[in-house]
Amino acid sequence: MTKAKVAVLISGAGTNMAALLYAAKAADCPYELVLVASNNPEAPGLALAAGEGIAIWAQSHKGMSRAAFDALVDERLRAAGADYVALAGYMRILSDDFVAGWTDRMLNIHPSLLPLYKGLDTHQRAIDAGDRFGGCSVHVVTPALDDGPVLAQTPVAIVPGDTAETLAERVRFAEHQLYPAALAAFVTRERAPDWLLGRVRTLAMALPEADEVTSHGMPCFGIVKGKKFAYFTHDHHGDGKTALLVKISGADEQAQLIELDEARYYRPAYFGDGWIGIRLDLGDTDWDAIGDWLRKSWLAIAPKKLAGLMGVAEEF
């Protein structure tokens, strides 16, 4: 199993980083830590990570502009080969450019049940509001503070006599359980059949007069009351592949594609020379390219009048 490479950003003790690190020691964990970085060279979590054999890097942000410091951090993350970034008590507001560079690749854990209590003092605010539960949330990082899509949450009961400190202690236990599981689910989503089908469906159904039916035991997409231009296949006839099947010009193009990248392209059984299989379960799918494949396949079967209308629309 190829493990996703994760860099973790911390500013202090790094207890959530430690939870991610120790979870990654399990043989079946789908991620590994490749770097722990900090804006605080004295952060205790750095020594913990180094002791466990994880590469570390630290530099104070003081005296640097936000953009310049974030560019330096970004350089280090990419040099480490990180696929994803996990914020774990990283006490820095990130620049928009930095966040954009890791779109859908950066997670954070926040000590509240988002969208409640974004920002600081979350536990006291929950107690003051008379809430029955505090808790924690893992979310995708977006430019707005604590505002990205929530992936997972754990509620933690607020008991009589709780203070912000006692509630925070129990929430930390919940965080250490929630974050590794949410990260593992997130880094494997691009190989999950349901997620992949959802991406294909969105692209295919955006084409003019497209519909979805089941054929040959697979979800497939065609022009309403017409021919099919794409099939989504998952372990069909036990082949172990999750893939998109689209129309091509014939045997020569099929052979050229397979020669170009035999790990990604293949000749789909029972479909003949006019189709190519494109693996979606390799973890590095170029979705813009998949959109182009679907469009070309749609054009291959579309009536001339409908195809002509699409061409006119694209000119504008």
Side-chain angles (χ1 to χ4, degrees):
M1 176 180 64
T2 301
K3 293 179 180 261
K5 294 176 171 55
V6 176
V8 185
L9 301 184
I10 66 172
S11 292
T15 61
N16 271 305
M17 176 275 296
L20 297 175
L21 188 159
Y22 293 125
K25 288 178 177 286
D28 61 350
C29 183
Y31 67 82
E32 61 179 330
L33 269 57
V34 295
L35 179 69
V36 173
S38 181
N39 65 312
N40 173 16
E42 304 302 319
L46 292 169
L48 187 156
E52 293 288 352
I54 307 299
I56 62 171
W57 175 84
Q59 180 170 316
S60 174
H61 60 275
K62 295 178 180 178
M64 298 183 69
S65 70
R66 190 178 306 280
F69 184 75
D70 282 358
L72 182 60
V73 173
D74 183 77
E75 179 183 334
R76 293 290 177 165
L77 298 178
R78 297 187 189 279
D83 303 311
Y84 299 89
V85 178
L87 307 182
Y90 188 59
M91 304 304 290
R92 292 274 298 162
I93 294 176
L94 301 171
S95 63
D96 288 355
D97 285 346
F98 182 85
V99 174
W102 293 93
T103 298
D104 289 331
R105 298 280 171 176
M106 182 159 50
L107 304 187
N108 183 43
I109 188 160
H110 182 73
S112 79
L113 296 176
L114 292 173
L116 297 175
Y117 314 126
K118 299 173 183 178
L120 302 176
D121 301 320
T122 59
H123 306 303
Q124 190 62 55
R125 289 157 70 192
I127 292 169
D128 291 345
D131 293 349
R132 294 178 56 209
F133 293 93
C136 52
S137 307
V138 175
H139 67 95
V140 179
V141 176
T142 58
L145 181 65
D146 300 328
D147 198 47
V150 173
L151 302 175
Q153 293 183 315
T154 299
V156 175
I158 298 175
V159 300
D162 252 341
T163 65
E165 291 74 22
T166 59
L167 178 58
E169 184 176 357
R170 294 200 307 284
V171 169
R172 270 192 293 274
F173 282 114
E175 290 175 355
H176 298 167
Q177 301 297 313
L178 182 67
Y179 209 178
L183 178 60
F186 189 74
V187 303
T188 55
R189 66 177 185 158
E190 292 187 13
R191 291 181 174 87
D194 288 347
W195 187 85
L196 293 168
L197 175 57
R199 289 297 301 266
V200 168
R201 179 181 288 123
T202 297
L203 293 170
M205 295 301 291
L207 294 165
E209 297 191 23
D211 69 352
E212 179 182 355
V213 297
T214 299
S215 179
H216 300 286
M218 298 180 287
C220 70
F221 303 91
I223 294 175
V224 175
K225 296 182 180 179
K227 297 179 180 179
K228 305 297 182 281
F229 63 86
Y231 290 80
F232 178 87
T233 172
H234 171 62
D235 197 29
H236 197 56
H237 295 289
D239 66 4
K241 299 180 177 76
T242 302
L244 173 70
L245 310 184
V246 291
K247 291 189 69 66
I248 52 175
S249 59
D252 288 345
E253 184 179 8
Q254 187 184 79
Q256 289 169 2
L257 288 166
I258 293 171
E259 183 178 0
L260 175 70
D261 189 349
E262 63 181 0
R264 189 175 312 276
Y265 299 106
Y266 67 97
R267 186 181 193 276
Y270 312 110
F271 277 77
D273 297 334
W275 294 80
I276 191 72
I278 308 171
R279 295 285 296 271
L280 301 175
D281 52 2
L282 303 179
D284 61 351
T285 300
D286 181 340
W287 289 101
D288 288 336
I290 293 298
D292 289 341
W293 276 114
L294 286 165
R295 176 185 171 279
K296 287 188 291 186
S297 191
W298 182 94
L299 284 169
I301 63 136
K304 290 183 179 180
K305 182 178 180 180
L306 188 57
L309 290 174
M310 183 176 182
V312 170
E314 289 182 342
E315 289 180 5
F316 295 93

